[in-house]
């Protein structure tokens, strides 16, 4: 099979050939249907403590654009549905070629123009790779934020301003050390959906505690256009790098809000 992607000849409908778990019962993303979720008063806010990175890269890996520190620096996530501390690994984006599509999760069938994923791994594992392979839904915790078009996002501007430098697949730049990742997050991480799922790209491992925030973040039209200028390994616009929703099967989606 050609390396996986999002085109007709290598997109999500083909992924099961290399990753049979694609047809598993705990796959992501899903459509978050408000009439079918269940409020859980035990779901408290999350706490993300992100400390500045001295040596982080922003890169185009052919499937997304991704902020990736070279090594852990003590940035961590706790609280909410999480029983232990998770270490920050990377963040990346999924987006569409127009404002009517682009997010991976949907809310009552609605797609947002983009979705931002903050990936964290369970610190009881010796490494990130072990966490991915640890089996069960507690290996990774991924925070999902919908992006909608509105005011310019000042916290994301240092990142979206770097996009022209990573237009081509396989390119990367160093992120200025004064980049404040914490500023991207809302002040309180309260209203979210959470469910047990998977990576939304190969290897599609069912190792993810998904935490998707109800309140979208805003980015400007210019910031959305920056994403749409990114090119994939085939030299085509990367927009459309989202997997369609997967069956829920017998999973429950819980909410921290009524
Ligand atoms: C393009 C490959 N994307 C993967 C890469 N990683 C997994 C593979 O790791 C190998 C040890 S990952 O855990 O960083 C990760 S998280 C998500 S998502 N969209 O579900 O938040 C996809 C991916
Ligand atoms: Zn993702």
């Amino acid at each position: 099979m050609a390396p996986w992607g999002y085109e007709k000849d290598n997109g999500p409908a083909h992924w099961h050939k290399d990753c049979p778990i694609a047809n598993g019962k705990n796959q992501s993303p899903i459509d978050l249907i408000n009439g079918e979720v269940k409020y859980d008063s035990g779901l408290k806010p999350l706490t993300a403590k992100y400390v500045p990175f001295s040596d982080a890269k922003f890169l185009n890996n052919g499937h997304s654009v991704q902020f990736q520190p070279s090594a852990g620096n003590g940035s961590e996530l706790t609280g909410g549905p999480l029983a232990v501390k998770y270490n920050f690994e990377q963040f990346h984006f999924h987006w569409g070629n127009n404002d009517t599509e682009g997010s991976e999760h949907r809310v009552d069938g609605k797609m947002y123009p983009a979705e931002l994923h903050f990936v964290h791994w369970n610190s009881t594992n010796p490494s990130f790779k072990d966490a991915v392979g640890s089996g069960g839904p507690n290996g990774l915790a991924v925070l999902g934020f919908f992006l909608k078009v509105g005011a310019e996002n000042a916290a994301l501007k240092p990142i979206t301003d770097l996009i022209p430098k990573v237009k081509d697949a396989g390119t990367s730049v160093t992120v200025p050390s004064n980049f404040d990742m914490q500023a991207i997050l809302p002040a309180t991480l309260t209203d979210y959906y959470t469910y047990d799922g998977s990576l939304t790209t190969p290897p599609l491992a069912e190792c993810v505690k998904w935490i998707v925030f109800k309140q979208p973040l805003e980015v400007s039209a210019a910031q959305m256009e920056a994403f749409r200028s990114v090119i994939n390994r085939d030299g085509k616009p990367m927009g459309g790098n989202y997997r369609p929703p997967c069956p829920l099967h017998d999973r429950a989606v819980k909410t921290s809000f009524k």
Side-chain angles (χ1 to χ4, degrees):
M1 169 177 146
W4 69 272
Y6 296 91
E7 314 287 335
K8 194 123 189 63
D9 66 345
N10 65 5
H14 292 269
W15 295 353
H16 69 95
K17 286 174 272 185
D18 275 354
C19 304
I21 195 69
N23 295 318
K25 294 195 178 303
N26 301 286
Q27 290 290 292
S28 295
I30 60 171
D31 187 355
L32 299 162
I33 298 172
N34 283 309
E36 296 175 7
V37 301
K38 184 168 173 48
Y39 168 62
D40 177 348
S41 59
L43 287 172
K44 301 304 175 206
L46 284 116
T47 300
K49 180 178 70 67
Y50 290 161
V51 296
F53 291 94
S54 52
D55 55 348
K57 293 275 185 228
F58 186 59
L59 56 97
N60 174 339
N61 59 23
H63 306 291
S64 184
V65 287
Q66 184 163 304
F67 172 86
Q68 178 103 34
S70 63
N73 76 334
S75 290
E76 56 195 37
L77 181 71
T78 55
L82 306 176
V84 298
K85 182 181 77 173
Y86 284 69
N87 299 318
F88 174 76
E89 175 66 19
Q90 54 102 329
F91 70 71
H92 63 274
F93 302 84
H94 304 263
W95 63 93
N97 290 310
N98 61 68
D99 289 350
T100 68
E101 49 140 39
S103 64
E104 297 213 290
H105 291 90
R106 303 184 189 192
V107 180
D108 292 336
K110 171 195 165 74
M111 263 192 274
Y112 286 86
E115 188 170 331
L116 163 54
H117 290 156
F118 282 88
V119 181
H120 308 77
W121 56 276
N122 183 320
S123 63
T124 62
N125 295 277
S127 75
F128 159 68
K129 279 194 189 312
D130 291 288
V132 173
S134 61
N138 299 310
L140 301 184
V142 182
L143 304 184
F145 292 93
F146 295 117
L147 302 188
K148 72 174 188 181
V149 177
E152 178 179 84
N153 190 310
L156 277 172
K157 190 168 187 308
I159 294 297
T160 50
D161 282 351
L162 292 176
I163 288 177
K165 297 184 187 325
V166 294
K167 178 179 164 69
D168 296 319
T171 55
S172 70
V173 290
T174 300
V175 179
S177 56
N178 63 349
F179 168 59
D180 178 5
M181 193 168 78
Q182 185 86 49
I184 299 172
L185 303 181
T188 55
L189 298 172
T190 50
D191 293 358
Y192 55 84
Y193 303 84
T194 185
Y195 74 99
D196 293 347
S198 73
L199 302 173
T200 65
T201 70
L204 299 171
E206 296 186 336
C207 63
V208 183
K209 180 69 76 182
W210 274 98
I211 298 158
V212 180
F213 288 89
K214 178 183 169 192
Q215 190 66 31
L217 302 179
E218 288 191 23
V219 292
S220 65
Q223 287 176 300
M224 267 318 302
E225 282 316 304
F227 285 110
R228 295 182 183 135
S229 71
V230 177
I231 301 298
N232 65 19
R233 289 194 190 284
D234 302 333
K236 295 183 182 160
M238 193 179 278
N241 60 344
Y242 60 90
R243 189 188 192 192
C246 304
L248 186 61
H249 291 295
D250 51 0
R251 291 178 283 177
V253 178
K254 294 181 187 165
T255 61
S256 67
F257 61 92
K258 287 185 179 166

